[in-house]
């Protein structure tokens, strides 16, 4: 029924914007969230490792999901005070514009048009990915062999445009088709049935769909990366109070990993002799109040959800079926040569 | 009009012209007030939306229609200065929407024809004297009518069409038809390469003569003769058309006519779903005929088949046409479910355009207008046939 929902959103946009003109004049989303006591967070539910509804446990899990929980823990003091709202690649931008959700973490690539024309504000990049193509069988070993093929992707994704540009740049025949589906679930079902010669999306998603396939060996991820796709969360535009708080919540997660404060030792760290660690965790002095956040927002967040490294390991680490190597990639902390980097706090 | 005037007259006494005039003015005043209020609400709403958009830094701007789309559409044609060709990612957003609209019209028009044929057969089947036919028709209608269209569509796509064999393993039916996961392909007639232009014109003349022969019985012999002469000339000059068989070539099929799996699934889904409703309309219309007509036909010694063809059907079609019109409009709008299976209809393409350009409000207005025009067009056609049928039957 998603298509219906998205039509409704067109009207919801009208109605909400009309109402917003009157009622929602001032005030930040930050205040709304605190008043409501629950964070409405937009995620995917069909992207293993990022936003996925585990059918065995009935729980949402993934990197995106844990970032939602981190925000809830930081802002409201409880990682459980979050309502997950499922968004598709297509519906996610409207969802924040209409205040249906407060923030979206849904493996979203940062692109200029999304900040200028669609007008959302991006948060810091939390995962570095690239688009790739997966095929069935082992006959095809390079994207270049897909001239004339049917390549499938999701509607409204960054890959959709990347792929169109790639097909054009390669000068492929007119019989090359780009077929788009609403979500990854339908895309993979079509791929599995043999409708698509290739499935194009972010490499991390390809890896997890391959791993979760009935017979992973049936699928080959081609070596080429079509384009960069850095993931970031995003919020409604022009709300710098909310956006700044969120930016530094994400940075706090990175910073906690850097100074090696994890969920297990956060209680001990509050007794640290290092004045920075004390201020960071909100013992005595704190960074929180100036952002409109509780004094102990970092301690609560790291204590309940863990730092970025723990979140990564839980969802994409070697023990998970969605394992994506971290060491030596851009996703390693900057202290280990990666690009997961928090600006200095003092 | 007379009845209206009568009912609005007071039951007692004679009303003076002045009173009548005053009442008339009062009535007009009330109507004007209501219309004014409604307009006021619309204007207030429009201004609020504009203010809300401005607050979020979004300007209302149709300029996105001229910008290049930057995405591909899996099937569909676009009209350009060089004629019809496949949509390309460098075409404008407006061209993309037009391609989607053409796809919508394509699937809707075929589904309307199919559902009418199937629905009429099933509707007649429900009144058949044959027990088995009656029960099958009943089961079909009940099952199809009482499950959601969206679920049926997903069933047709994933459980039927995509369960067909892959292109390399597909069987060739009757020597040329290929039904595979990559689509259904049938042999077709195409313009032959290297055919002379004269030959093509002669062929067009011949076809025109043949068509004229069908329309004008009086000059039939003469026109048919001309058509034969043209045909002979065509063969002598090199025939401009050739039979084209679909042939598997790598990932694709060359030659013949092809329909994508998404198109086939949507067509089947729409046709079957609407057929169930049309069947009920047909059944109701047949049952509404006075029993005396069947009896009179029987008394005249007409067979059941002849009764059906000469007595029942002509009357039934006069009754059902407006109801069919409703179903057709509903069908045309239901094509927007195509998004569930990746068929690039208007609504699906709108989604991509809105998402890539950020212009959902402007886009939704364009799309609503397009559906409105389509629905109006369908009801205009149905009304046209309805009037013609009424006039022909002299029912007025």
């Amino acid at each position: 029924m998603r298509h219906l929902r998205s039509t409704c959103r067109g009207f919801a946009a009208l109605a909400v914007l009309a109402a917003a003109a009157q009622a929602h004049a001032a005030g930040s989303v930050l205040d709304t969230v605190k008043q409501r006591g629950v964070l409405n967070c937009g995620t995917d539910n069909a992207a293993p490792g990022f936003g996925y509804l585990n059918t065995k446990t009935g729980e949402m899990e993934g990197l995106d999901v844990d970032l939602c929980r981190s925000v809830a823990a930081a802002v409201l003091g409880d990682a459980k005070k979050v309502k997950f709202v499922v968004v598709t690649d297509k519906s996610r931008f409207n969802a924040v514009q209409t205040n249906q959700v407060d923030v979206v973490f849904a493996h979203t690539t940062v692109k200029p048009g999304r900040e200028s024309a669609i007008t959302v504000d991006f948060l810091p990049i939390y995962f570095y990915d690239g688009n790739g193509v997966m095929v069935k069988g082992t006959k095809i070993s390079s994207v270049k062999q897909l001239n004339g093929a049917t390549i499938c992707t999701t509607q409204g994704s960054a890959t959709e445009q990347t792929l169109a540009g790639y097909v054009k740049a390669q000068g492929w025949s007119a019989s090359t088709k780009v077929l788009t589906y609403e979500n990854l679930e339908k895309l993979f079902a079509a791929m599995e049935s043999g409708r698509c010669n290739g499935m194009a999306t972010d490499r991390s998603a390809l890896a997890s769909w391959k791993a979760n396939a009935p017979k992973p060996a049936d699928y080959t991820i081609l070596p080429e990366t079509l384009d960069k796709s850095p993931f970031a969360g995003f919020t409604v535009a022009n709300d710098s109070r909310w956006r700044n708080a969120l930016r530094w919540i994400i940075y706090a997660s990175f910073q906690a990993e850097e100074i090696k404060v994890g969920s297990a030792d956060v209680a001990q760290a509050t007794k640290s002799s290092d004045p920075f660690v004390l201020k960071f965790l909100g013992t005595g002095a704190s960074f929180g109040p100036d952002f409109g956040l509780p004094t102990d927002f970092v301690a609560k967040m790291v204590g309940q959800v863990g730092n970025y490294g723990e979140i990564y390991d839980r969802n994409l680490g070697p023990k998970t079926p969605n394992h994506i190597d971290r060491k030596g990639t851009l996703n390693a902390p900057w202290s280990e040569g990666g690009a997961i980097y928090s600006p200095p706090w003092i | 009009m007379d009845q209206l005037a009568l009912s609005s007259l007071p039951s007692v006494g004679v009303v003076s012209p002045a009173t009548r005039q005053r009442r008339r003015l009062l009535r007009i005043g009330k109507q004007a007030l209501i219309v004014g209020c409604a307009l006021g609400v619309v204007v207030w709403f429009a201004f609020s939306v504009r203010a809300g958009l401005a607050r979020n830094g979004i300007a209302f701007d149709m300029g996105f229609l001229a910008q290049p789309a930057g995405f591909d559409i899996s099937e569909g044609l676009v009209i350009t200065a060089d004629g019809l060709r496949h949509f390309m990612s460098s075409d404008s957003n407006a061209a993309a929407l037009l391609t989607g609209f053409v796809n919508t019209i394509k699937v809707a028009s075929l589904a309307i024809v199919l559902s009418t044929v199937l629905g009429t057969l099933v509707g007649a089947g429900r009144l058949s004297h044959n027990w088995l036919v009656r029960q099958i028709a009943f089961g079909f209608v009940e099952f199809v009518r009482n499950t959601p269209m969206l679920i049926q569509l997903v069933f047709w796509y994933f459980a039927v069409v995509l369960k067909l064999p892959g292109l390399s393993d597909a069987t060739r039916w009757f020597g040329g038809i290929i039904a595979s996961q990559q689509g259904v392909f049938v042999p077709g007639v195409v313009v032959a390469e290297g055919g002379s232009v004269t030959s093509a014109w002669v062929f067009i003349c011949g076809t025109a003569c043949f068509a004229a022969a069908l329309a004008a019985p009086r000059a039939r012999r003469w026109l048919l003769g001309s058509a034969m002469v043209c045909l002979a000339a065509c063969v002598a000059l090199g025939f401009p058309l050739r039979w084209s068989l679909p042939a598997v070539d790598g990932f694709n099929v060359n030659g013949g006519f092809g329909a994508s799996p998404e198109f086939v699934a949507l067509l089947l889904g729409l046709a079957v779903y609407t057929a169930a409703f049309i069947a009920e309309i047909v059944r109701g219309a047949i049952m509404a005929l006075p029993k005396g007509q069947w009896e009179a036909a029987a008394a005249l010694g007409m067979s059941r088949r002849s009764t059906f063809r000469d007595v029942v059907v002509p009357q039934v079609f006069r009754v059902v046409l407006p109801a069919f019109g409703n179903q057709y409009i509903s069908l045309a709008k239901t094509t927007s479910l195509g998004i569930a299976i990746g068929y690039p209809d208007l609504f699906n393409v709108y989604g991509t355009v809105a998402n890539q350009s950020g212009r959902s409000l402007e886009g939704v207005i364009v799309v609503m207008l397009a559906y409105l025009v389509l629905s109006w067009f369908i009801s205009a056609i149905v009304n046209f046939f309805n009037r013609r049928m009424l006039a022909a039957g002299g029912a007025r």
Side-chain angles (χ1 to χ4, degrees), chain A residues 71-113:
Chain A
V71 172
V75 177
L76 303 166
D78 185 350
K80 290 200 184 71
K81 286 187 178 165
V82 53
K83 189 180 140 211
F84 293 105
V85 179
V86 175
V87 293
T88 62
D89 284 358
K90 201 175 107 187
S91 72
R92 53 194 172 182
F93 302 110
N94 273 343
V96 288
Q97 282 169 343
T98 55
N99 300 329
Q100 197 194 2
V101 296
D102 306 314
V103 60
V104 172
F105 291 101
H107 50 79
T108 309
T109 306
V110 180
K111 295 185 83 181

CSV table of all heavy atoms in Angstrom, one decimal, chain A residues 71-113:
chain,number,residue,atom,x,y,z
A,71,VAL,N,20.0,8.5,19.0
A,71,VAL,CA,19.4,9.8,19.1
A,71,VAL,C,18.3,9.8,20.2
A,71,VAL,O,18.3,10.7,21.0
A,71,VAL,CB,18.8,10.2,17.7
A,71,VAL,CG1,18.0,11.5,17.9
A,71,VAL,CG2,19.9,10.4,16.7
A,72,ALA,N,17.5,8.8,20.3
A,72,ALA,CA,16.5,8.7,21.3
A,72,ALA,C,17.1,8.7,22.7
A,72,ALA,O,16.7,9.4,23.6
A,72,ALA,CB,15.6,7.5,21.1
A,73,ALA,N,18.2,7.9,22.8
A,73,ALA,CA,18.9,7.9,24.1
A,73,ALA,C,19.5,9.2,24.5
A,73,ALA,O,19.4,9.7,25.7
A,73,ALA,CB,20.0,6.8,24.1
A,74,ALA,N,20.1,9.9,23.5
A,74,ALA,CA,20.7,11.2,23.8
A,74,ALA,C,19.7,12.3,24.1
A,74,ALA,O,19.9,13.0,25.0
A,74,ALA,CB,21.6,11.6,22.6
A,75,VAL,N,18.6,12.3,23.3
A,75,VAL,CA,17.6,13.4,23.5
A,75,VAL,C,16.7,13.1,24.6
A,75,VAL,O,16.3,14.0,25.4
A,75,VAL,CB,16.8,13.6,22.2
A,75,VAL,CG1,15.8,14.7,22.4
A,75,VAL,CG2,17.8,14.0,21.1
A,76,LEU,N,16.2,11.9,24.7
A,76,LEU,CA,15.1,11.5,25.7
A,76,LEU,C,15.6,10.7,26.8
A,76,LEU,O,14.8,10.4,27.8
A,76,LEU,CB,14.0,10.8,25.0
A,76,LEU,CG,13.4,11.6,23.8
A,76,LEU,CD1,12.5,10.7,22.9
A,76,LEU,CD2,12.6,12.8,24.3
A,77,GLY,N,16.9,10.3,26.8
A,77,GLY,CA,17.4,9.5,27.9
A,77,GLY,C,17.1,8.0,27.9
A,77,GLY,O,17.4,7.3,28.8
A,78,ASP,N,16.3,7.6,26.8
A,78,ASP,CA,16.0,6.2,26.8
A,78,ASP,C,16.0,5.7,25.3
A,78,ASP,O,15.2,6.2,24.5
A,78,ASP,CB,14.6,6.0,27.4
A,78,ASP,CG,14.1,4.6,27.5
A,78,ASP,OD1,14.8,3.7,26.9
A,78,ASP,OD2,13.1,4.3,28.1
A,79,ALA,N,16.8,4.7,25.0
A,79,ALA,CA,16.9,4.2,23.6
A,79,ALA,C,15.7,3.6,23.1
A,79,ALA,O,15.5,3.4,21.9
A,79,ALA,CB,18.1,3.2,23.6
A,80,LYS,N,14.8,3.2,24.1
A,80,LYS,CA,13.5,2.6,23.6
A,80,LYS,C,12.4,3.6,23.2
A,80,LYS,O,11.4,3.2,22.7
A,80,LYS,CB,13.0,1.7,24.8
A,80,LYS,CG,13.9,0.5,25.0
A,80,LYS,CD,13.1,-0.6,25.8
A,80,LYS,CE,14.0,-1.8,26.1
A,80,LYS,NZ,15.0,-1.4,27.2
A,81,LYS,N,12.7,4.8,23.5
A,81,LYS,CA,11.6,5.8,23.2
A,81,LYS,C,11.7,6.3,21.7
A,81,LYS,O,11.9,7.5,21.5
A,81,LYS,CB,11.8,7.0,24.1
A,81,LYS,CG,11.3,6.7,25.5
A,81,LYS,CD,11.3,8.0,26.4
A,81,LYS,CE,10.7,7.6,27.8
A,81,LYS,NZ,11.0,8.7,28.7
A,82,VAL,N,11.7,5.3,20.9
A,82,VAL,CA,11.7,5.6,19.4
A,82,VAL,C,10.7,4.8,18.7
A,82,VAL,O,10.4,3.7,19.0
A,82,VAL,CB,13.2,5.3,18.9
A,82,VAL,CG1,13.6,3.9,19.2
A,82,VAL,CG2,13.2,5.5,17.4
A,83,LYS,N,10.0,5.5,17.8
A,83,LYS,CA,9.0,4.9,17.0
A,83,LYS,C,9.6,4.8,15.6
A,83,LYS,O,9.9,5.8,15.0
A,83,LYS,CB,7.7,5.7,17.0
A,83,LYS,CG,6.6,5.0,16.3
A,83,LYS,CD,5.3,5.9,16.4
A,83,LYS,CE,4.6,5.7,15.1
A,83,LYS,NZ,3.9,6.9,14.7
A,84,PHE,N,9.8,3.6,15.1
A,84,PHE,CA,10.3,3.5,13.7
A,84,PHE,C,9.2,3.6,12.7
A,84,PHE,O,8.2,2.9,12.7
A,84,PHE,CB,11.0,2.1,13.6
A,84,PHE,CG,12.2,2.0,14.5
A,84,PHE,CD1,12.2,1.2,15.6
A,84,PHE,CD2,13.4,2.6,14.1
A,84,PHE,CE1,13.3,1.1,16.4
A,84,PHE,CE2,14.5,2.6,14.9
A,84,PHE,CZ,14.5,1.8,16.1
A,85,VAL,N,9.5,4.5,11.8
A,85,VAL,CA,8.5,4.7,10.7
A,85,VAL,C,9.2,4.2,9.4
A,85,VAL,O,10.3,4.7,9.1
A,85,VAL,CB,8.1,6.2,10.5
A,85,VAL,CG1,7.2,6.4,9.4
A,85,VAL,CG2,7.5,6.7,11.8
A,86,VAL,N,8.6,3.3,8.8
A,86,VAL,CA,9.3,2.7,7.6
A,86,VAL,C,9.1,3.7,6.4
A,86,VAL,O,8.0,4.1,6.1
A,86,VAL,CB,8.7,1.3,7.2
A,86,VAL,CG1,9.3,0.8,5.9
A,86,VAL,CG2,8.9,0.4,8.3
A,87,VAL,N,10.3,4.0,5.8
A,87,VAL,CA,10.3,4.9,4.6
A,87,VAL,C,10.9,4.1,3.5
A,87,VAL,O,11.7,3.3,3.7
A,87,VAL,CB,11.0,6.2,4.9
A,87,VAL,CG1,10.3,7.1,5.9
A,87,VAL,CG2,12.5,6.0,5.3
A,88,THR,N,10.4,4.4,2.3
A,88,THR,CA,11.1,3.8,1.1
A,88,THR,C,12.1,4.9,0.5
A,88,THR,O,12.1,6.0,0.9
A,88,THR,CB,10.0,3.5,0.0
A,88,THR,OG1,9.4,4.8,-0.4
A,88,THR,CG2,9.0,2.6,0.5
A,89,ASP,N,12.8,4.4,-0.5
A,89,ASP,CA,13.8,5.3,-1.1
A,89,ASP,C,13.1,6.5,-1.6
A,89,ASP,O,13.6,7.6,-1.7
A,89,ASP,CB,14.5,4.6,-2.3
A,89,ASP,CG,15.6,3.6,-1.8
A,89,ASP,OD1,15.7,3.6,-0.5
A,89,ASP,OD2,16.2,3.0,-2.6
A,90,LYS,N,11.8,6.3,-2.1
A,90,LYS,CA,11.0,7.4,-2.7
A,90,LYS,C,10.4,8.3,-1.6
A,90,LYS,O,10.3,9.5,-1.8
A,90,LYS,CB,10.0,6.7,-3.6
A,90,LYS,CG,9.5,7.6,-4.6
A,90,LYS,CD,8.5,6.8,-5.5
A,90,LYS,CE,7.1,7.3,-5.3
A,90,LYS,NZ,6.2,6.4,-6.0
A,91,SER,N,9.9,7.7,-0.6
A,91,SER,CA,9.0,8.5,0.4
A,91,SER,C,9.9,9.2,1.4
A,91,SER,O,9.3,10.0,2.1
A,91,SER,CB,8.0,7.5,1.0
A,91,SER,OG,8.7,6.7,2.0
A,92,ARG,N,11.2,8.8,1.5
A,92,ARG,CA,11.9,9.3,2.7
A,92,ARG,C,12.0,10.8,2.8
A,92,ARG,O,12.0,11.4,3.9
A,92,ARG,CB,13.3,8.7,2.7
A,92,ARG,CG,14.1,8.8,1.5
A,92,ARG,CD,15.3,7.9,1.4
A,92,ARG,NE,15.9,8.0,0.1
A,92,ARG,CZ,17.0,7.3,-0.3
A,92,ARG,NH1,17.5,6.4,0.6
A,92,ARG,NH2,17.5,7.3,-1.5
A,93,PHE,N,12.1,11.5,1.7
A,93,PHE,CA,12.3,13.0,1.7
A,93,PHE,C,11.0,13.7,2.1
A,93,PHE,O,11.0,14.6,3.0
A,93,PHE,CB,12.9,13.6,0.4
A,93,PHE,CG,14.2,12.9,0.0
A,93,PHE,CD1,14.2,12.1,-1.0
A,93,PHE,CD2,15.3,13.2,0.8
A,93,PHE,CE1,15.4,11.4,-1.4
A,93,PHE,CE2,16.5,12.6,0.5
A,93,PHE,CZ,16.6,11.7,-0.6
A,94,ASN,N,9.9,13.2,1.5
A,94,ASN,CA,8.6,13.8,1.9
A,94,ASN,C,8.3,13.6,3.4
A,94,ASN,O,7.7,14.4,4.0
A,94,ASN,CB,7.5,13.1,1.1
A,94,ASN,CG,7.3,13.8,-0.2
A,94,ASN,OD1,7.8,15.0,-0.4
A,94,ASN,ND2,6.7,13.2,-1.2
A,95,ALA,N,8.8,12.4,3.9
A,95,ALA,CA,8.5,12.1,5.3
A,95,ALA,C,9.0,13.1,6.3
A,95,ALA,O,8.4,13.5,7.2
A,95,ALA,CB,9.1,10.7,5.6
A,96,VAL,N,10.2,13.7,6.0
A,96,VAL,CA,10.7,14.7,6.9
A,96,VAL,C,10.1,16.1,6.6
A,96,VAL,O,9.8,16.9,7.5
A,96,VAL,CB,12.3,14.9,7.0
A,96,VAL,CG1,12.9,13.8,7.6
A,96,VAL,CG2,12.8,15.2,5.6
A,97,GLN,N,9.8,16.3,5.3
A,97,GLN,CA,9.3,17.6,4.9
A,97,GLN,C,7.9,17.8,5.5
A,97,GLN,O,7.5,18.9,5.8
A,97,GLN,CB,9.2,17.7,3.4
A,97,GLN,CG,10.5,18.1,2.8
A,97,GLN,CD,10.4,17.9,1.3
A,97,GLN,OE1,9.5,17.3,0.7
A,97,GLN,NE2,11.4,18.5,0.6
A,98,THR,N,7.1,16.7,5.7
A,98,THR,CA,5.8,16.8,6.2
A,98,THR,C,5.8,16.6,7.7
A,98,THR,O,4.7,16.4,8.3
A,98,THR,CB,4.9,15.8,5.6
A,98,THR,OG1,5.4,14.5,5.7
A,98,THR,CG2,4.7,16.1,4.1
A,99,ASN,N,6.9,16.6,8.4
A,99,ASN,CA,7.1,16.3,9.8
A,99,ASN,C,6.5,15.0,10.3
A,99,ASN,O,6.1,14.8,11.4
A,99,ASN,CB,6.4,17.4,10.6
A,99,ASN,CG,7.0,18.8,10.3
A,99,ASN,OD1,8.2,18.9,10.0
A,99,ASN,ND2,6.2,19.8,10.4
A,100,GLN,N,6.4,14.1,9.3
A,100,GLN,CA,5.9,12.7,9.7
A,100,GLN,C,7.0,12.0,10.5
A,100,GLN,O,6.6,11.3,11.4
A,100,GLN,CB,5.6,12.0,8.4
A,100,GLN,CG,4.8,10.8,8.6
A,100,GLN,CD,4.9,9.9,7.3
A,100,GLN,OE1,5.6,10.1,6.4
A,100,GLN,NE2,4.1,8.8,7.4
A,101,VAL,N,8.2,12.3,10.2
A,101,VAL,CA,9.3,11.8,11.0
A,101,VAL,C,10.2,13.0,11.4
A,101,VAL,O,10.2,14.0,10.7
A,101,VAL,CB,10.1,10.7,10.3
A,101,VAL,CG1,9.3,9.5,10.0
A,101,VAL,CG2,10.7,11.3,9.0
A,102,ASP,N,11.0,12.8,12.5
A,102,ASP,CA,11.8,13.9,13.0
A,102,ASP,C,13.2,13.8,12.3
A,102,ASP,O,13.9,14.8,12.1
A,102,ASP,CB,12.0,13.8,14.5
A,102,ASP,CG,10.7,13.8,15.2
A,102,ASP,OD1,9.8,14.6,14.8
A,102,ASP,OD2,10.5,12.9,16.0
A,103,VAL,N,13.6,12.6,12.0
A,103,VAL,CA,14.9,12.4,11.3
A,103,VAL,C,14.9,11.1,10.6
A,103,VAL,O,14.1,10.2,10.9
A,103,VAL,CB,16.1,12.4,12.4
A,103,VAL,CG1,15.9,11.3,13.4
A,103,VAL,CG2,17.4,12.3,11.7
A,104,VAL,N,15.7,11.0,9.5
A,104,VAL,CA,15.7,9.8,8.7
A,104,VAL,C,17.1,9.2,8.7
A,104,VAL,O,18.1,10.0,8.4
A,104,VAL,CB,15.2,10.0,7.3
A,104,VAL,CG1,15.4,8.8,6.4
A,104,VAL,CG2,13.7,10.4,7.3
A,105,PHE,N,17.3,8.0,9.0
A,105,PHE,CA,18.5,7.3,8.8
A,105,PHE,C,18.1,6.1,7.9
A,105,PHE,O,17.6,5.1,8.4
A,105,PHE,CB,19.2,6.7,10.1
A,105,PHE,CG,19.7,7.8,11.0
A,105,PHE,CD1,19.0,8.2,12.1
A,105,PHE,CD2,20.9,8.4,10.7
A,105,PHE,CE1,19.5,9.2,12.9
A,105,PHE,CE2,21.4,9.4,11.5
A,105,PHE,CZ,20.7,9.8,12.6
A,106,ALA,N,18.3,6.2,6.6
A,106,ALA,CA,17.9,5.2,5.7
A,106,ALA,C,18.8,5.0,4.5
A,106,ALA,O,18.5,5.3,3.4
A,106,ALA,CB,16.4,5.4,5.2
A,107,HIS,N,20.1,4.6,4.8
A,107,HIS,CA,21.1,4.4,3.8
A,107,HIS,C,21.0,5.4,2.7
A,107,HIS,O,20.9,5.0,1.5
A,107,HIS,CB,21.2,3.0,3.3
A,107,HIS,CG,19.9,2.4,2.9
A,107,HIS,ND1,19.4,2.6,1.7
A,107,HIS,CD2,19.0,1.6,3.5
A,107,HIS,CE1,18.2,2.0,1.6
A,107,HIS,NE2,18.0,1.4,2.7
A,108,THR,N,21.0,6.7,3.0
A,108,THR,CA,20.7,7.8,2.0
A,108,THR,C,22.0,8.4,1.6
A,108,THR,O,22.8,8.9,2.4
A,108,THR,CB,19.8,8.8,2.6
A,108,THR,OG1,18.7,8.2,3.2
A,108,THR,CG2,19.4,9.8,1.6
A,109,THR,N,22.3,8.4,0.3
A,109,THR,CA,23.5,9.1,-0.3
A,109,THR,C,23.4,10.6,-0.3
A,109,THR,O,22.3,11.1,-0.6
A,109,THR,CB,23.7,8.6,-1.7
A,109,THR,OG1,23.6,7.2,-1.7
A,109,THR,CG2,25.0,9.1,-2.3
A,110,VAL,N,24.4,11.2,0.2
A,110,VAL,CA,24.5,12.7,0.2
A,110,VAL,C,24.6,13.2,-1.3
A,110,VAL,O,25.6,12.7,-2.0
A,110,VAL,CB,25.6,13.2,1.0
A,110,VAL,CG1,25.7,14.7,1.0
A,110,VAL,CG2,25.5,12.7,2.4
A,111,LYS,N,23.7,14.0,-1.7
A,111,LYS,CA,23.8,14.5,-3.1
A,111,LYS,C,23.4,16.0,-3.1
A,111,LYS,O,22.5,16.3,-2.3
A,111,LYS,CB,22.9,13.7,-4.1
A,111,LYS,CG,23.3,12.3,-4.2
A,111,LYS,CD,22.5,11.6,-5.2
A,111,LYS,CE,23.0,11.9,-6.6
A,111,LYS,NZ,22.2,11.3,-7.7
A,112,PRO,N,23.9,16.8,-4.0
A,112,PRO,CA,23.6,18.2,-3.9
A,112,PRO,C,22.1,18.5,-4.1
A,112,PRO,O,21.5,19.3,-3.4
A,112,PRO,CB,24.4,18.8,-5.1
A,112,PRO,CG,24.9,17.7,-5.9
A,112,PRO,CD,24.9,16.5,-5.0
A,113,GLY,N,21.5,17.8,-5.1
A,113,GLY,CA,20.1,18.1,-5.4
A,113,GLY,C,19.2,17.9,-4.2
A,113,GLY,O,18.1,18.5,-4.1
